[in-house]
Amino acid sequence: QNRLLLLERLGAMLRENEQYAEAAKLFEEGIELEPAASKQMYRQLVETYRQAKDYTKASTAMDTASAKNPDDRLLLLQKGQLLGEMGK
């Protein structure tokens, strides 16, 4: 659990410094490390790709996250924001 928190915080710091690829790797590592607690890591991953304007990867990550967490309201809000930015 501590490692998961560390990965999330480090990933967020990297994203703030526009080191998107490195941040995404950490969020993906967190998803693999603890699949049961992956909701937040998926949200972070989608946000990282969105900020990087890599809408293809953001959309793919969103689809995966939504399939695994269909009732996650925060993901639904994030999906709406992503679709809006994509002009859909």
Side-chain angles (χ1 to χ4, degrees):
Q1 200 71 356
N2 287 338
R3 180 167 177 168
L4 196 62
L5 185 59
L6 179 63
L7 289 172
E8 183 179 6
R9 288 186 179 170
L10 182 55
M13 287 190 309
L14 288 169
R15 184 178 62 221
E16 287 175 19
N17 289 302
E18 298 181 0
Q19 296 177 354
Y20 301 116
E22 294 85 353
K25 286 178 188 175
L26 293 179
F27 297 132
E28 289 169 351
E29 185 179 331
I31 290 166
E32 290 177 23
L33 180 69
E34 192 64 48
S38 65
K39 283 183 188 182
Q40 180 63 18
M41 295 303 256
Y42 271 116
R43 288 187 211 119
Q44 295 282 13
L45 182 61
V46 170
E47 180 62 16
T48 299
Y49 288 137
R50 188 192 68 76
Q51 286 187 23
K53 301 197 183 318
D54 189 339
Y55 297 119
T56 301
K57 286 184 180 179
S59 184
T60 299
M62 178 59 72
D63 289 345
T64 302
S66 295
K68 293 182 179 199
N69 305 287
D71 298 327
D72 186 335
R73 291 181 184 193
L74 291 176
L75 260 174
L76 292 174
L77 288 171
Q78 195 175 26
K79 185 174 186 175
Q81 180 182 18
L82 178 62
L83 290 172
E85 284 188 26
M86 294 170 66
K88 295 184 177 185

